[in-house]
Amino acid sequence: MSVVVAITNQKGGVGKTTTSVNLSSALAEKGKSILLIDMDPQANAASGLGLEPEPGSSLYPVMVGEKAIEQQITATSVEGLSLIPAEVDLAGCEVEIAREANPLAKLRTIIEPIKSQGRFDYILLDCPPSVGILMTSSLAAADGLLIPVQCEFYALEGITKILDLVNRLKQQGVNPDLYIVGVLMTMYDARTRLSQQVVQELQEHLPDKVFKTIIPRSIRLSEAPSFGQSILSYDPQGIGATSYRQLSEEFLQRLQ
């Protein structure tokens, strides 16, 4: 049985796709079999792995009953890492699924066949930065949740909103077993007092949830997607790659 983890935050620009691509690559490097599903119509996960998604290659045809999910799985250049890319048409799912009797259960139903097969150790969902059908159905389908948070002034406020959403989904019986794998601090700048204060504040409020691993602000991390590579391939010995390898170890420890 695969473990499904949604990587999400309703705020944009916090490093969701960067974390999705690089954590997936780091887990694959450790010998795990990973499926990354891009749920964000901006479709950045594919380009970050050097792929150009073709029309009809996303989950959209699966959502509307035109294809099986197995048909959409694409191999990547990273051994052990497969991808279902996104495309702009995926935004149409917001309308299509909303018409159904139980829209939040749609993604969970679609993923169930490959989850139960155990073909992949982990299925990671790269979620869009908005509280719509695509994001909430991802939370409904997930076993666990990883929340990237940028080291900035409104970090705690953003975390509070996503935790409130998780609690509502649990209380309403949409996904009562959903748990927080961890909160990941991203874009950390050790030179600024603000970054230090944000980390300290979150560690005080969520002592058991914040990952010990902190992802630094790094030019190399920003450059890697433009070369179609994960940071592990682009700068394997750099601080970004080291941080995501550490995160993968902590991620596995928490899930075990």
Side-chain angles (χ1 to χ4, degrees):
M1 180 77 73
S2 305
V3 177
V4 180
V5 176
I7 299 176
T8 189
N9 189 323
Q10 82 282 356
K11 193 174 185 305
V14 299
K16 289 189 298 297
T17 298
T18 298
T19 294
S20 297
V21 168
N22 291 310
L23 175 58
S24 296
S25 299
L27 290 169
E29 187 180 75
K30 290 185 177 299
K32 301 299 181 182
S33 179
I34 308 299
L35 174 62
L36 174 59
I37 303 179
D38 192 353
M39 297 299 298
D40 187 350
Q42 295 180 77
N44 291 327
S47 58
L49 288 166
L51 296 172
E52 191 66 41
E54 299 176 1
S57 62
S58 73
L59 268 190
Y60 178 73
V62 185
M63 291 283 207
V64 297
E66 294 175 355
K67 290 185 178 180
I69 190 169
E70 290 84 356
Q71 295 176 265
Q72 306 303 86
I73 298 173
T74 303
T76 72
S77 59
V78 180
E79 185 178 355
L81 173 57
S82 298
L83 173 72
I84 297 180
E87 57 181 327
V88 175
D89 286 354
L90 192 60
C93 285
E94 296 278 352
V95 177
E96 298 282 350
I97 301 174
R99 297 170 180 163
E100 301 197 5
N102 190 2
L104 295 185
K106 183 74 173 183
L107 182 61
R108 182 170 56 214
T109 302
I110 286 171
I111 290 177
E112 185 57 36
I114 52 172
K115 178 181 179 180
S116 59
Q117 289 168 8
R119 172 180 168 186
F120 301 98
D121 296 309
Y122 299 98
I123 299 172
L124 303 187
L125 308 176
D126 182 13
C127 300
S130 61
V131 185
I133 292 290
L134 290 175
M135 177 182 168
T136 50
S137 62
S138 295
L139 299 187
D143 299 305
L145 183 61
L146 189 157
I147 310 171
V149 180
Q150 185 178 353
C151 294
E152 50 136 40
F153 184 73
Y154 293 109
L156 190 59
E157 181 182 332
I159 278 288
T160 301
K161 289 180 179 178
I162 193 73
L163 293 179
D164 285 346
L165 175 59
V166 170
N167 287 333
R168 285 203 305 274
L169 291 175
K170 293 174 72 170
Q171 291 167 3
Q172 292 169 5
V174 174
N175 189 354
D177 298 322
L178 181 63
Y179 60 90
I180 308 298
V181 178
V183 175
L184 176 67
M185 304 304 301
T186 65
M187 304 181 196
Y188 176 79
D189 188 343
R191 299 169 299 178
T192 68
R193 181 172 294 181
L194 176 61
S195 281
Q196 297 169 14
Q197 289 175 337
V198 170
V199 171
Q200 183 179 356
E201 189 176 46
L202 280 170
Q203 288 173 336
E204 288 175 356
H205 281 82
L206 301 164
D208 300 326
K209 300 300 182 186
V210 178
F211 283 106
K212 293 183 175 65
T213 302
I214 296 175
I215 307 301
R217 187 177 291 278
S218 162
I219 292 174
R220 292 293 204 178
L221 269 174
S222 302
E223 290 175 344
S226 65
F227 289 89
Q229 298 179 46
S230 75
I231 192 63
L232 281 75
S233 300
Y234 181 65
D235 186 27
Q237 304 305 319
I239 188 171
T242 299
S243 298
Y244 275 107
R245 287 190 180 102
Q246 290 174 347
L247 175 64
S248 69
E249 292 175 4
E250 195 173 353
F251 177 89
L252 292 173
Q253 288 170 359
R254 289 191 174 212
L255 289 178
Q256 287 168 358

